[in-house]
Amino acid sequence: MGAPGYLQTNGANLKKRVGVYYLNDDYNGEWENLGIGNVHVDYFENSEEIGLYVLDDEENDVILSHRFSREDIYQKQDDKLILWDDITLSFEDVADCSYIW
């Protein structure tokens, strides 16, 4: 099931388990854990823009919704991390990280 109001999903996305972290400048630049869930990539609802969202494992709440942007600089590190701005996705599986990358 998709994330209503965020992305449309056609069921083709397989679950990719990921931790979502935010670099919190208010707390000496420490990484804050926003939650663990499954990441999906798809078109945003009623849009031609593509992005990703992460749904919480237990409550199915949206942890992260992000529209891909040419202005953002995305990096892949250590085979299991994707970073941009103040956000890091930490993948449980190397193959899942590579698939999303």
Side-chain angles (χ1 to χ4, degrees):
M1 182 151 212
Y6 286 89
L7 295 175
Q8 58 188 357
T9 181
N10 59 12
N13 283 312
L14 302 175
K15 291 185 177 184
K16 310 287 185 206
R17 193 165 165 80
V18 67
V20 181
Y21 299 89
Y22 170 73
L23 185 60
N24 193 334
D25 289 332
D26 293 336
Y27 294 101
N28 299 320
E30 292 185 24
W31 289 98
E32 180 181 339
N33 184 349
L34 299 180
I36 297 173
N38 293 295
V39 63
H40 305 267
V41 176
D42 210 336
Y43 288 96
F44 276 80
E45 193 171 310
N46 300 320
S47 172
E48 292 184 13
E49 295 178 78
I50 195 165
L52 64 81
Y53 65 96
V54 179
L55 293 178
D56 178 83
D57 277 347
E58 297 174 12
E59 302 296 323
N60 214 32
D61 293 330
V62 176
I63 297 171
L64 175 70
S65 175
H66 175 73
R67 291 177 193 257
F68 294 125
S69 168
R70 292 175 193 215
E71 286 78 38
D72 289 334
I73 298 171
Y74 301 93
Q75 300 175 37
K76 183 179 175 188
Q77 293 181 359
D78 300 327
D79 294 327
K80 288 187 175 184
L81 301 174
I82 296 177
L83 303 90
W84 71 95
D85 295 332
D86 294 338
I87 300 290
T88 295
L89 299 180
S90 177
F91 289 81
E92 191 172 87
D93 186 72
V94 172
D96 290 347
C97 184
S98 293
Y99 179 82
I100 296 298
W101 182 251

